[in-house]
Amino acid sequence: MRLFMTEFQKIRRRHIGLLYVGAWLFTFLWMAWAMSSMSPEEIDDQGYYYLLFSIPLINAIILPTILACVESRICDIELKGNTLKMLCTMQPRHSIYHVKLAISSLYLLIFCLAETAIIPFLGHCYQTSQPMPIKNVAIFLFSTYGVSLVLIILQQSLSLLSENQLFPLFFGVGGTFVGLFSWFFPNLPIRYMLPWGYYCVGVTLNMLYDEVTRTVTYYTIPFPTEIFCCFLIFGVFIYLAGKDRFMKKEV
């Protein structure tokens, strides 16, 4: 707990929370604007499904870059001041990795809960008559947090191992393009091969577009449990590899 609070003191002026607040506001305002342009019939029948389908797309666009910025802000304190060697003499090196990961995970959990709250809030504001699909909302929360946590582990490992934080940042920006690419080319396996595509994989809805009536119909699909478990195992591997490389890094 002492190390945890010390790390909080170090990042108190890093404005980590503002990055997440900005991402949340962008998502909220975009979804509010999009629902305001929908017809009452669409909102009544499929309001919740529209939110559950659209928010992961926004996450795929903005979260890889936001997470890269967050991890860079958290990890570059010791690197900029060249104090990592001194810090390692006062606390176990593995604790540096774990405390930063714990703080990042806490910030992420708060963000994911706040983002999930957008769904019932907007559904209530726009008075959708569709029953809220609790199971799909829970899967949305789980998949968003799981994918983002794996990306945090990846970005933190890169940030701690890189002397120049531009590389991790560009890596995160590249993840944004990969995630967006995976949405618009669903027939390609890229969404299963790269971690940023799993914002799309975790969506339990699909859509049919009728060109004649120009209407969209959403329907539920099964959650890919086996594929997602393999992805989480990949996250564990990234964690072990990143921590091992950090433990062996010369400071």
Side-chain angles (χ1 to χ4, degrees), residues 127-177:
Q127 299 179 345
T128 178
S129 60
Q130 178 192 8
M132 187 169 69
I134 302 296
K135 179 180 177 181
N136 297 86
V137 173
I139 291 175
F140 165 77
L141 174 61
F142 168 74
S143 63
T144 302
Y145 185 75
V147 175
S148 301
L149 184 60
V150 172
L151 293 182
I152 275 180
I153 294 172
L154 179 60
Q155 290 293 157
Q156 175 174 303
S157 299
L158 291 175
S159 292
L160 287 174
L161 295 173
S162 302
E163 298 300 330
N164 190 330
Q165 292 302 303
L166 285 178
F167 171 69
L169 288 174
F170 286 144
F171 195 79
V173 172
T176 292
F177 289 102

Coordinates of all heavy atoms in Angstrom, one line a residue, residues 127-177:
Q127 N -35.6 7.5 -23.9 CA -36.9 6.7 -23.6 C -37.1 5.6 -24.6 O -38.1 5.4 -25.2 CB -38.0 7.7 -23.7 CG -38.0 8.8 -22.7 CD -39.1 9.8 -22.8 OE1 -39.9 9.8 -23.8 NE2 -39.3 10.6 -21.8
T128 N -36.0 4.8 -24.7 CA -36.2 3.6 -25.5 C -37.0 2.5 -24.8 O -36.9 2.4 -23.6 CB -34.8 3.0 -25.8 OG1 -35.0 1.8 -26.6 CG2 -34.0 2.6 -24.6
S129 N -37.9 1.9 -25.5 CA -38.8 0.9 -24.9 C -38.2 -0.5 -24.9 O -38.8 -1.4 -24.4 CB -40.1 0.9 -25.6 OG -40.0 0.6 -27.0
Q130 N -37.0 -0.6 -25.6 CA -36.4 -1.9 -25.6 C -35.9 -2.3 -24.2 O -35.3 -1.5 -23.6 CB -35.2 -1.9 -26.6 CG -34.4 -3.2 -26.7 CD -33.1 -3.1 -27.4 OE1 -32.7 -2.0 -27.7 NE2 -32.4 -4.2 -27.7
P131 N -36.2 -3.5 -23.8 CA -35.6 -4.0 -22.5 C -34.1 -4.0 -22.5 O -33.5 -4.4 -23.5 CB -36.2 -5.4 -22.3 CG -37.3 -5.4 -23.2 CD -37.0 -4.6 -24.4
M132 N -33.5 -3.5 -21.5 CA -32.0 -3.4 -21.5 C -31.4 -4.8 -21.5 O -31.7 -5.6 -20.5 CB -31.5 -2.6 -20.3 CG -30.0 -2.3 -20.4 SD -29.4 -1.1 -19.2 CE -29.6 -2.0 -17.7
P133 N -30.6 -5.2 -22.4 CA -30.0 -6.5 -22.5 C -28.8 -6.6 -21.5 O -27.7 -6.3 -21.8 CB -29.5 -6.6 -23.9 CG -29.3 -5.2 -24.4 CD -30.2 -4.4 -23.6
I134 N -29.2 -7.0 -20.3 CA -28.2 -7.0 -19.2 C -27.0 -7.9 -19.5 O -25.8 -7.5 -19.3 CB -28.8 -7.5 -17.9 CG1 -30.0 -6.6 -17.5 CG2 -27.8 -7.6 -16.7 CD1 -29.6 -5.2 -17.1
K135 N -27.2 -9.0 -20.1 CA -26.1 -10.0 -20.5 C -25.2 -9.3 -21.5 O -23.9 -9.4 -21.3 CB -26.7 -11.3 -21.0 CG -25.6 -12.3 -21.5 CD -26.2 -13.5 -22.0 CE -25.1 -14.5 -22.5 NZ -25.7 -15.7 -23.1
N136 N -25.7 -8.7 -22.5 CA -24.8 -8.0 -23.5 C -24.1 -6.8 -22.9 O -22.9 -6.6 -23.3 CB -25.7 -7.5 -24.6 CG -26.4 -8.7 -25.4 OD1 -27.5 -9.1 -25.0 ND2 -25.8 -9.2 -26.4
V137 N -24.7 -6.1 -22.0 CA -24.0 -5.0 -21.3 C -22.9 -5.5 -20.5 O -21.8 -5.0 -20.4 CB -25.0 -4.2 -20.4 CG1 -24.3 -3.1 -19.6 CG2 -26.0 -3.5 -21.3
A138 N -23.1 -6.6 -19.7 CA -22.1 -7.2 -18.9 C -20.9 -7.7 -19.8 O -19.7 -7.5 -19.4 CB -22.6 -8.4 -18.1
I139 N -21.2 -8.3 -20.9 CA -20.2 -8.8 -21.8 C -19.4 -7.6 -22.4 O -18.1 -7.6 -22.5 CB -20.8 -9.6 -22.9 CG1 -21.3 -11.0 -22.4 CG2 -19.7 -9.9 -24.0 CD1 -22.0 -11.8 -23.4
F140 N -20.1 -6.5 -22.7 CA -19.4 -5.3 -23.1 C -18.4 -4.8 -22.1 O -17.3 -4.5 -22.5 CB -20.5 -4.2 -23.4 CG -19.9 -2.8 -23.6 CD1 -19.2 -2.5 -24.7 CD2 -19.9 -1.9 -22.5 CE1 -18.7 -1.2 -24.9 CE2 -19.4 -0.7 -22.7 CZ -18.8 -0.3 -23.8
L141 N -18.8 -4.7 -20.9 CA -17.9 -4.3 -19.8 C -16.7 -5.2 -19.7 O -15.5 -4.8 -19.6 CB -18.6 -4.2 -18.5 CG -17.8 -3.9 -17.2 CD1 -17.1 -2.5 -17.3 CD2 -18.7 -3.9 -16.0
F142 N -17.0 -6.5 -19.7 CA -15.9 -7.5 -19.5 C -14.9 -7.4 -20.7 O -13.7 -7.4 -20.5 CB -16.5 -8.9 -19.4 CG -15.5 -10.0 -19.6 CD1 -14.6 -10.3 -18.5 CD2 -15.4 -10.7 -20.7 CE1 -13.6 -11.3 -18.7 CE2 -14.4 -11.7 -20.9 CZ -13.6 -12.0 -19.8
S143 N -15.4 -7.4 -21.9 CA -14.5 -7.4 -23.1 C -13.8 -6.1 -23.2 O -12.6 -6.1 -23.6 CB -15.4 -7.7 -24.4 OG -16.3 -6.6 -24.6
T144 N -14.4 -5.0 -22.9 CA -13.7 -3.7 -23.0 C -12.6 -3.6 -22.0 O -11.5 -3.2 -22.4 CB -14.7 -2.5 -22.8 OG1 -15.8 -2.6 -23.7 CG2 -14.0 -1.2 -22.9
Y145 N -12.9 -4.0 -20.8 CA -11.8 -4.0 -19.8 C -10.7 -5.0 -20.1 O -9.5 -4.7 -20.0 CB -12.4 -4.3 -18.4 CG -11.4 -4.2 -17.3 CD1 -11.0 -2.9 -16.8 CD2 -10.8 -5.3 -16.7 CE1 -10.1 -2.8 -15.8 CE2 -9.9 -5.2 -15.6 CZ -9.5 -3.9 -15.2 OH -8.6 -3.8 -14.2
G146 N -11.1 -6.2 -20.6 CA -10.1 -7.2 -20.9 C -9.2 -6.8 -22.0 O -7.9 -7.0 -21.9
V147 N -9.7 -6.3 -23.1 CA -8.9 -5.9 -24.2 C -8.0 -4.7 -23.8 O -6.8 -4.7 -24.1 CB -9.8 -5.6 -25.4 CG1 -8.9 -5.0 -26.6 CG2 -10.6 -6.8 -25.9
S148 N -8.6 -3.8 -23.1 CA -7.8 -2.6 -22.7 C -6.7 -2.9 -21.8 O -5.6 -2.4 -21.8 CB -8.7 -1.5 -22.1 OG -9.7 -1.1 -23.1
L149 N -7.0 -3.9 -20.9 CA -5.9 -4.3 -19.9 C -4.8 -5.0 -20.6 O -3.6 -4.7 -20.2 CB -6.5 -5.3 -18.9 CG -5.6 -5.7 -17.7 CD1 -5.1 -4.5 -16.9 CD2 -6.3 -6.7 -16.8
V150 N -5.0 -5.8 -21.6 CA -3.9 -6.4 -22.4 C -3.1 -5.3 -23.1 O -1.9 -5.4 -23.1 CB -4.5 -7.4 -23.3 CG1 -3.4 -7.9 -24.3 CG2 -5.1 -8.6 -22.6
L151 N -3.8 -4.3 -23.6 CA -3.1 -3.3 -24.3 C -2.3 -2.4 -23.3 O -1.2 -1.9 -23.7 CB -4.1 -2.4 -25.1 CG -4.8 -3.0 -26.2 CD1 -5.7 -2.0 -26.9 CD2 -3.8 -3.6 -27.3
I152 N -2.8 -2.2 -22.1 CA -2.1 -1.5 -21.1 C -0.8 -2.3 -20.8 O 0.3 -1.7 -20.6 CB -2.9 -1.3 -19.8 CG1 -3.8 -0.1 -20.0 CG2 -2.1 -1.2 -18.6 CD1 -4.7 0.2 -18.8
I153 N -0.9 -3.6 -20.6 CA 0.3 -4.4 -20.3 C 1.3 -4.2 -21.4 O 2.6 -4.1 -21.2 CB -0.1 -5.9 -20.1 CG1 -0.9 -6.0 -18.8 CG2 1.2 -6.7 -20.0 CD1 -1.5 -7.4 -18.7
L154 N 0.9 -4.3 -22.7 CA 1.7 -4.2 -23.8 C 2.4 -2.8 -23.9 O 3.6 -2.7 -24.0 CB 0.9 -4.4 -25.1 CG 1.7 -4.3 -26.4 CD1 2.8 -5.3 -26.5 CD2 0.7 -4.5 -27.6
Q155 N 1.6 -1.7 -23.7 CA 2.1 -0.4 -23.7 C 3.1 -0.1 -22.6 O 4.1 0.6 -22.7 CB 1.0 0.6 -23.8 CG 0.2 0.6 -25.1 CD 1.0 1.1 -26.3 OE1 0.6 0.8 -27.4 NE2 2.0 1.9 -26.0
Q156 N 2.7 -0.6 -21.4 CA 3.6 -0.3 -20.2 C 5.0 -1.0 -20.4 O 6.0 -0.4 -20.1 CB 3.0 -0.9 -18.9 CG 3.9 -0.7 -17.7 CD 3.2 -1.1 -16.4 OE1 2.2 -0.6 -16.1 NE2 3.8 -2.1 -15.7
S157 N 5.0 -2.2 -21.0 CA 6.2 -2.9 -21.2 C 7.1 -2.1 -22.2 O 8.3 -2.0 -22.0 CB 6.0 -4.3 -21.7 OG 5.2 -5.1 -20.7
L158 N 6.4 -1.7 -23.3 CA 7.2 -0.9 -24.3 C 7.7 0.4 -23.7 O 8.8 0.8 -23.9 CB 6.3 -0.6 -25.5 CG 5.9 -1.8 -26.3 CD1 4.9 -1.4 -27.4 CD2 7.1 -2.4 -27.0
S159 N 6.9 1.1 -22.9 CA 7.3 2.4 -22.3 C 8.4 2.2 -21.3 O 9.4 3.0 -21.3 CB 6.1 3.0 -21.6 OG 5.1 3.4 -22.5
L160 N 8.4 1.2 -20.5 CA 9.5 1.0 -19.5 C 10.8 0.5 -20.2 O 11.9 0.8 -19.7 CB 9.1 -0.1 -18.5 CG 8.0 0.4 -17.5 CD1 7.6 -0.8 -16.6 CD2 8.6 1.5 -16.6
L161 N 10.7 -0.1 -21.4 CA 11.9 -0.6 -22.0 C 12.4 0.4 -23.0 O 13.5 0.1 -23.6 CB 11.6 -2.0 -22.7 CG 11.2 -3.1 -21.8 CD1 10.8 -4.3 -22.6 CD2 12.4 -3.5 -20.9
S162 N 11.7 1.4 -23.3 CA 12.1 2.4 -24.4 C 12.6 3.7 -23.7 O 12.0 4.2 -22.8 CB 10.9 2.8 -25.3 OG 10.4 1.6 -25.9
E163 N 13.8 4.1 -24.1 CA 14.3 5.4 -23.6 C 13.6 6.6 -24.2 O 13.4 7.6 -23.6 CB 15.8 5.4 -24.0 CG 16.7 4.4 -23.4 CD 16.6 4.3 -21.9 OE1 16.4 5.4 -21.3 OE2 16.8 3.3 -21.3
N164 N 13.1 6.4 -25.4 CA 12.4 7.5 -26.1 C 10.9 7.0 -26.2 O 10.6 6.0 -26.7 CB 12.9 7.7 -27.5 CG 12.3 8.9 -28.2 OD1 11.2 9.3 -27.9 ND2 13.1 9.5 -29.1
Q165 N 10.0 7.8 -25.6 CA 8.6 7.5 -25.5 C 7.8 7.7 -26.8 O 6.6 7.4 -26.9 CB 7.9 8.3 -24.4 CG 8.4 8.0 -23.0 CD 8.2 6.5 -22.7 OE1 7.0 6.0 -22.7 NE2 9.2 5.8 -22.4
L166 N 8.5 8.2 -27.9 CA 7.8 8.3 -29.1 C 7.5 7.0 -29.8 O 6.4 6.9 -30.4 CB 8.7 9.1 -30.1 CG 8.8 10.6 -29.9 CD1 9.7 11.3 -30.9 CD2 7.4 11.3 -29.9
F167 N 8.3 6.0 -29.6 CA 8.1 4.7 -30.2 C 6.8 4.1 -29.6 O 5.9 3.6 -30.3 CB 9.2 3.7 -30.0 CG 9.0 2.3 -30.4 CD1 8.7 2.0 -31.7 CD2 8.9 1.3 -29.4 CE1 8.4 0.7 -32.1 CE2 8.6 0.0 -29.8 CZ 8.4 -0.3 -31.1
P168 N 6.6 4.0 -28.2 CA 5.4 3.5 -27.7 C 4.1 4.2 -28.1 O 3.1 3.7 -28.4 CB 5.6 3.5 -26.2 CG 7.0 3.5 -26.0 CD 7.6 4.3 -27.2
L169 N 4.3 5.6 -28.3 CA 3.1 6.4 -28.7 C 2.8 6.1 -30.1 O 1.6 5.9 -30.5 CB 3.5 7.9 -28.5 CG 3.5 8.4 -27.1 CD1 4.0 9.8 -27.0 CD2 2.2 8.3 -26.4
F170 N 3.8 6.0 -31.0 CA 3.5 5.7 -32.4 C 2.9 4.3 -32.5 O 2.1 4.0 -33.4 CB 4.7 5.8 -33.3 CG 5.1 7.2 -33.5 CD1 6.5 7.6 -33.6 CD2 4.2 8.2 -33.7 CE1 6.8 8.9 -33.8 CE2 4.5 9.5 -33.9 CZ 5.9 9.9 -34.0
F171 N 3.4 3.4 -31.6 CA 2.8 2.0 -31.6 C 1.4 2.0 -31.3 O 0.6 1.3 -31.9 CB 3.6 1.2 -30.6 CG 3.4 -0.3 -30.7 CD1 4.1 -1.0 -31.6 CD2 2.6 -1.0 -29.8 CE1 3.9 -2.4 -31.8 CE2 2.4 -2.3 -29.9 CZ 3.1 -3.0 -30.9
G172 N 0.9 2.8 -30.3 CA -0.5 3.0 -30.0 C -1.3 3.6 -31.1 O -2.4 3.2 -31.4
V173 N -0.7 4.6 -31.7 CA -1.4 5.2 -32.9 C -1.6 4.2 -34.0 O -2.7 4.2 -34.6 CB -0.7 6.5 -33.3 CG1 -1.3 7.0 -34.6 CG2 -0.7 7.6 -32.3
G174 N -0.6 3.4 -34.2 CA -0.7 2.4 -35.2 C -1.8 1.4 -34.9 O -2.5 0.9 -35.8
G175 N -2.0 1.1 -33.6 CA -3.0 0.2 -33.1 C -4.4 0.8 -33.4 O -5.4 0.0 -33.7
T176 N -4.6 2.1 -33.4 CA -5.8 2.7 -33.8 C -6.2 2.4 -35.2 O -7.4 2.0 -35.5 CB -5.8 4.2 -33.6 OG1 -5.7 4.5 -32.2 CG2 -7.0 4.9 -34.1
F177 N -5.3 2.5 -36.1 CA -5.5 2.2 -37.5 C -5.8 0.7 -37.7 O -6.7 0.3 -38.5 CB -4.4 2.6 -38.4 CG -4.2 4.1 -38.5 CD1 -3.3 4.8 -37.8 CD2 -5.0 4.8 -39.4 CE1 -3.1 6.2 -37.9 CE2 -4.9 6.2 -39.5 CZ -4.0 6.9 -38.7

